[in-house]
Amino acid sequence: MLICCLAPLPGSAPCDIRSMAEFVVRESLSAHQHGVSVILWPEYLWAFCSDVNTATPALLESLLSPLKKEKLFVLAGTLQIVCSEGKAPSNTALILSHGQWYLQDKIALAPREASMTSTHAIRLFTINGLCIATLICMDVEMPELGTLLKQQSVDILLVPFCVEDEEGIRRIAVCAEARSIELGCYTAICPLLGTPPGNKAEAIGDIQFFHPAQKAFANVSPPVIERTQILLTGTCPIDSKALRLARRNWMESTPSTSFCSGISVKSSDSES
């Protein structure tokens, strides 16, 4: 199975909802024609659209409906959206699985997202026998969420993100690799690139893929990162055989959630 990250290069993202939807559909279907089954777009992808405030889940599902005809899993980016009248907006991912659209909110909100809300739920999906979970940007920096997912046998972790400095890139990448090792899963991170309207700083980052640090993955095929005129793309083959072999040696780098049971932390120093 192939997973693909698609990140529009600065200046190439469409600037209205309908054009963005056509763009996402066209490029997703093109990736599917090359054997891709799982597609990841960036966090805040739809922020480039000047009319993003008119977006509703129903409208976006309608505009992206051509994707439902294919056997595809698509995380079609995130956007700030109000799902219920009278409630605060959320940073919400649009997820297509088995022909049905789902929503998942970002849980760990950044300071600039302090006015937003979240349903505090992580959705799990099964594609070709593999379990897929999503952690949006700062969510992947929370070890507690990794612990929560540890018992779910997650095979693929998707991380759309938007950061504006090198420190942010490092946090996302290091924590994504840590979650990959802890959960014994593949992790894909996909950045927003460019400056959406109203933003003062440019969003930066790289597409990266991580797999568990176990011998079973020593000879797996490497990902391929490419740059076209409009997209930064990354494609990674998922080696389900390596995943199964790694699970047989589960305690090598993925201890159980009960590992810390009965362990206490004691201070050995006292102030005079």
Side-chain angles (χ1 to χ4, degrees):
M1 187 170 78
L2 289 177
I3 179 173
C4 180
C5 295
L6 298 172
L9 294 174
S12 67
C15 57
D16 66 86
I17 289 175
R18 292 186 180 275
S19 297
M20 179 66 82
E22 292 174 357
F23 181 74
V24 169
V25 168
R26 182 178 67 251
E27 298 301 331
S28 296
L29 292 180
S30 176
H32 182 51
Q33 290 175 356
H34 289 84
V36 171
S37 300
V38 177
I39 297 173
L40 173 60
W41 291 84
E43 182 186 24
Y44 282 119
L45 173 68
W46 301 81
F48 288 107
C49 304
S50 59
D51 55 349
V52 68
N53 290 334
T54 67
T56 64
L59 173 61
L60 294 172
E61 288 179 20
S62 175
L63 294 175
L64 296 168
S65 61
L67 294 175
K68 296 176 67 174
K69 300 177 183 178
E70 306 295 337
K71 293 182 179 180
L72 266 174
F73 180 98
V74 182
L75 195 158
T78 81
L79 73 162
Q80 183 175 326
I81 197 168
V82 177
C83 293
S84 300
E85 187 175 352
K87 290 189 176 182
S90 55
N91 180 3
T92 302
L94 308 170
I95 301 173
L96 174 68
S97 177
H98 297 294
Q100 179 70 41
W101 284 100
Y102 300 87
L103 303 177
Q104 179 178 318
D105 296 343
K106 183 177 181 179
I107 298 171
L109 299 173
R112 63 183 176 186
E113 299 169 319
S115 63
M116 296 188 189
T117 188
S118 172
T119 55
H120 295 97
I122 300 173
R123 291 188 179 273
L124 299 179
F125 302 91
T126 301
I127 306 297
N128 296 337
L130 299 178
C131 180
I132 299 178
T134 298
L135 293 178
I136 302 169
C137 199
M138 279 185 63
D139 290 349
V140 82
E141 299 179 33
M142 305 299 157
E144 297 86 350
L145 295 181
T147 299
L148 187 65
L149 290 173
K150 191 181 287 287
Q151 294 179 327
Q152 304 300 325
S153 296
V154 172
D155 298 300
I156 300 172
L157 183 61
L158 303 179
V159 184
F161 73 98
C162 172
V163 298
E164 298 163 348
D165 52 53
E166 294 293 336
E167 292 78 11
I169 294 174
R170 184 170 182 270
R171 286 196 307 273
I172 294 295
V174 171
C175 292
E177 186 170 19
R179 302 294 85 80
S180 184
I181 292 172
E182 292 168 350
L183 300 176
C185 70
Y186 280 88
T187 301
I189 65 174
C190 186
L192 188 74
L193 301 173
T195 310
N199 279 35
K200 296 181 180 180
E202 180 181 12
I204 57 176
D206 297 298
I207 291 173
Q208 295 186 65
F209 298 93
F210 306 100
H211 58 64
Q214 296 191 22
K215 293 178 181 178
F217 295 87
N219 297 310
V220 296
S221 300
V224 176
I225 310 297
E226 297 179 313
R227 185 182 295 263
T228 69
Q229 291 184 339
I230 58 173
L231 284 170
L232 178 65
T233 70
T235 304
C236 180
I238 302 300
D239 193 324
S240 56
K241 181 179 179 181
L243 284 169
R244 290 194 299 270
L245 289 173
R247 296 277 161 84
R248 294 176 187 173
N249 195 20
W250 189 250
M251 288 300 292
E252 182 178 274
S253 59
T254 49
S256 69
T257 53
S258 61
F259 180 77
C260 291
S261 177
I263 298 176
S264 61
V265 179
K266 298 180 180 180
S267 175
S268 299
D269 297 319
S270 59
E271 294 184 3
S272 57

